[in-house]
Amino acid sequence: MLEFVRHVPPIACIPMLILWLGIGEASKIAVIILAAFFPIFLNTLNGVVNCDPKLLEVGDIFGFSVLEKFFKIILPSAMPYVTVGMRLGLGYSWRALIGAELIAASSGIGYMIMDAEQLSRPDIIIVGIIAIGLLGYVIDLLFFSLTAKLYNWNKEESKSWQELEL
Amino acid sequence: MAGIRIVNLTKTYQIKGQKIFALSGIDLEVENNSFVTVVGRSGCGKTTLLRVLCGLEEKSQGEIYFTNGKGEKVITRPKISMVFQEPRLMPWLTVAENIAFSISKEGPQERRRKVEKYLDLLGLNKFKNAYPHQISGGMAQRVALGRTLCYDPEIILMDEPLGALDAFTRLNLQNEIVKLFTNNEKTVIFVTHDVDEAILLGQNVLILERGNVKHQIPIQLPYPRRRDSEKFFKYRQEILRAIMGDKDN
């Protein structure tokens, strides 16, 4: 079932979503959820499944309960996967959102491009494309710098500790 | 305050329908607050013994009892912890946070006090804000030791904790372990494949072979022990002979 849903592009669902939810914010939010769900879900699943059993044994040794093991070992070790999933999901949902606006919307950059197509104004279309790319880039950059601060343990920093202290 | 009494402890594995005995009927008495080292060839069941003792693996047969200071059986399971061959630190926590990992239920002040105590004791103060990937292997193993000490178990099991370290770091840590445990009220079972290390640290050296205790050799030398004394050599010869069998000598 999940595999079936995964292979359906969110754009393909837009006509049905409009039928059910109307041309408004609700259908766009639904498209974003559809687009973002799989990269986040699959990456999170991967992170949880790939949790090092050796670290889980450390939890056993200290008498942790199942919940404690989840919150103190599994969840933090899966966080880098979760953020990668969120980053991918952000990109996908941005694309799906513009797609939704192209097909059915009354405002937004996608709507502006469709409007310009009907008015034969390629200049507006090009501005729209540039705006989409730039905004996507800026959003990704913001998200990345936010998460990089949270998970700085995961990156190879300078090994200056050893050099300075030993 | 806890000793261990092991009666006919057996652990079997099924590999391709064949029954393999990792431990075959071990009988053993570990006294309260004693330091026991276990040596043996690889595959003799050293690690399995520790894993069964701390509950990471189920025993197949036999009994494990815990005893109090007077050698009487106790029903409540004492706090047991283990130091692994690899440090197994949480990569997302700093050195100080890793040491506090085992005592997350205690209050913040109590935690800070304990962490600072063990940072001092193990010489890790300068590194307390470093992440595990930034420190050396010897330092990481010290953090792992600190994390276990912080948990304050009555029984500490060590599975070749110095096995992956270089010779100099090893010497240092061996001396530190002697200092830490000779006047500390803990029962320690220390597995190693290094005979010198076993004599240097243990009050009792157990020799395992094919999942059973073959010999038990008490080491009657005062701490800190010297590797170059005559008695040390005699013990080493005795143990090596016991492990290798008489045919090699």
Side-chain angles (χ1 to χ4, degrees):
Chain A
M1 175 61 189
L2 276 176
E3 276 300 297
F4 173 79
V5 179
R6 190 165 80 90
H7 285 101
V8 178
I11 306 260
C13 302
I14 286 173
M16 290 316 291
L17 289 174
I18 290 166
L19 191 63
W20 289 328
L21 301 168
I23 317 175
E25 291 304 309
S27 61
K28 275 181 249 171
I29 290 170
V31 167
I32 291 172
I33 290 171
L34 276 179
F37 176 74
F38 278 101
I40 296 176
F41 171 72
L42 289 176
N43 272 286
T44 306
L45 188 70
N46 195 20
V48 170
V49 169
N50 279 328
C51 182
D52 190 350
K54 289 182 171 180
L55 294 186
L56 286 173
E57 279 186 0
V58 174
D60 289 331
I61 284 298
F62 293 131
F64 281 12
S65 65
V66 176
L67 270 182
E68 277 179 298
K69 273 194 275 182
F70 178 75
F71 283 111
K72 286 187 191 134
I73 302 171
I74 296 176
L75 199 62
S77 80
M79 271 330 271
Y81 292 86
V82 177
T83 50
V84 165
M86 284 166 85
R87 219 176 141 199
L88 283 173
L90 199 67
Y92 286 179
S93 55
W94 178 240
R95 279 191 260 170
L97 173 67
I98 301 294
E101 284 178 354
L102 282 171
I103 296 172
S106 49
S107 63
I109 300 174
Y111 172 74
M112 187 182 86
I113 290 174
M114 278 316 280
D115 202 36
E117 187 196 333
Q118 267 148 24
L119 298 171
S120 302
R121 291 281 304 274
D123 51 338
I124 296 180
I125 296 176
I126 288 168
V127 166
I129 290 170
I130 293 172
I132 291 166
L134 276 179
L135 276 174
Y137 180 68
V138 168
I139 292 171
D140 187 61
L141 212 65
L142 278 177
F143 184 77
F144 182 72
S145 61
L146 212 73
T147 52
K149 259 184 202 152
L150 282 172
Y151 304 113
N152 55 351
W153 58 270
N154 204 20
K155 274 187 288 302
E156 274 301 304
E157 279 177 52
S158 66
K159 295 230 168 189
S160 55
W161 275 96
Q162 268 168 284
E163 286 150 24
L164 277 173
E165 309 287 351
L166 287 179
Chain B
M1 294 287 276
I4 308 168
R5 185 173 299 149
I6 297 167
V7 182
N8 191 30
L9 182 66
T10 303
K11 171 76 190 168
T12 53
Y13 293 103
Q14 290 281 352
I15 298 175
K16 285 183 184 165
Q18 265 194 320
K19 218 178 186 185
I20 307 239
F21 282 84
L23 301 174
S24 48
I26 288 192
D27 291 309
L28 179 65
E29 176 88 43
V30 178
E31 274 171 44
N32 180 35
N33 296 349
S34 62
F35 198 121
V36 176
T37 49
V38 182
V39 288
R41 301 176 191 219
S42 45
C44 69
K46 293 174 294 195
T47 299
T48 310
L49 176 64
L50 292 197
R51 291 178 67 87
V52 171
L53 276 178
C54 68
L56 283 179
E57 274 171 52
E58 294 279 317
K59 59 180 189 282
S60 306
Q61 253 180 52
E63 291 303 326
I64 300 169
Y65 301 106
F66 297 100
T67 55
N68 62 14
K70 292 172 208 143
E72 295 158 344
K73 276 181 205 171
V74 288
I75 304 159
T76 49
R77 189 186 148 91
K79 263 168 120 178
I80 303 180
S81 193
M82 180 143 149
V83 181
F84 298 94
Q85 187 171 2
E86 327 85 57
R88 301 199 184 181
L89 303 177
M90 305 297 142
W92 55 89
L93 298 179
T94 63
V95 165
E97 287 164 346
N98 261 299
I99 290 181
F101 186 72
S102 56
I103 51 165
S104 48
K105 281 177 203 142
E106 292 173 31
Q109 278 185 338
E110 182 68 9
R111 262 186 3 221
R112 193 169 307 135
R113 192 185 62 76
K114 279 192 181 169
V115 168
E116 263 161 28
K117 177 179 160 194
Y118 289 110
L119 282 172
D120 275 342
L121 198 66
L122 295 162
L124 291 164
N125 242 326
K126 288 178 190 166
F127 299 90
K128 65 180 175 192
N129 293 320
Y131 285 95
H133 72 263
Q134 295 169 313
I135 58 176
S136 64
M139 284 291 166
Q141 200 55 275
R142 260 176 231 220
V143 178
L145 191 61
R147 178 176 66 182
T148 302
L149 288 173
C150 211
Y151 183 59
D152 197 24
E154 289 152 280
I155 299 172
I156 299 184
L157 309 170
M158 301 208 217
D159 185 10
E160 300 185 28
L162 312 180
L165 302 179
D166 66 274
F168 306 111
T169 317
R170 243 185 128 124
L171 287 181
N172 263 332
L173 276 176
Q174 282 167 354
N175 292 336
E176 273 174 46
I177 286 174
V178 167
K179 270 188 224 150
L180 278 175
F181 291 105
T182 43
N183 43 22
N184 201 332
E185 298 198 331
K186 303 255 183 254
T187 306
V188 184
I189 302 183
F190 188 105
V191 162
T192 175
H193 52 243
D194 180 344
V195 174
D196 282 16
E197 191 171 281
I199 306 169
L200 204 65
L201 301 175
Q203 293 162 343
N204 238 323
V205 178
L206 299 185
I207 297 161
L208 282 195
E209 194 179 291
R210 286 192 221 106
N212 217 325
V213 181
K214 196 183 173 195
H215 288 282
Q216 227 185 107
I217 299 170
I219 308 288
Q220 274 135 0
L221 293 173
Y223 293 105
R225 292 171 177 161
R226 290 175 59 91
R227 287 159 188 273
D228 48 5
S229 71
E230 202 181 322
K231 279 183 181 161
F232 195 95
F233 280 116
K234 272 190 184 153
Y235 277 122
R236 187 161 73 173
Q237 247 180 345
E238 190 183 345
I239 290 166
L240 279 175
R241 198 170 293 152
I243 296 173
M244 306 302 283
D246 288 324
K247 60 182 188 294
D248 296 323
N249 285 286

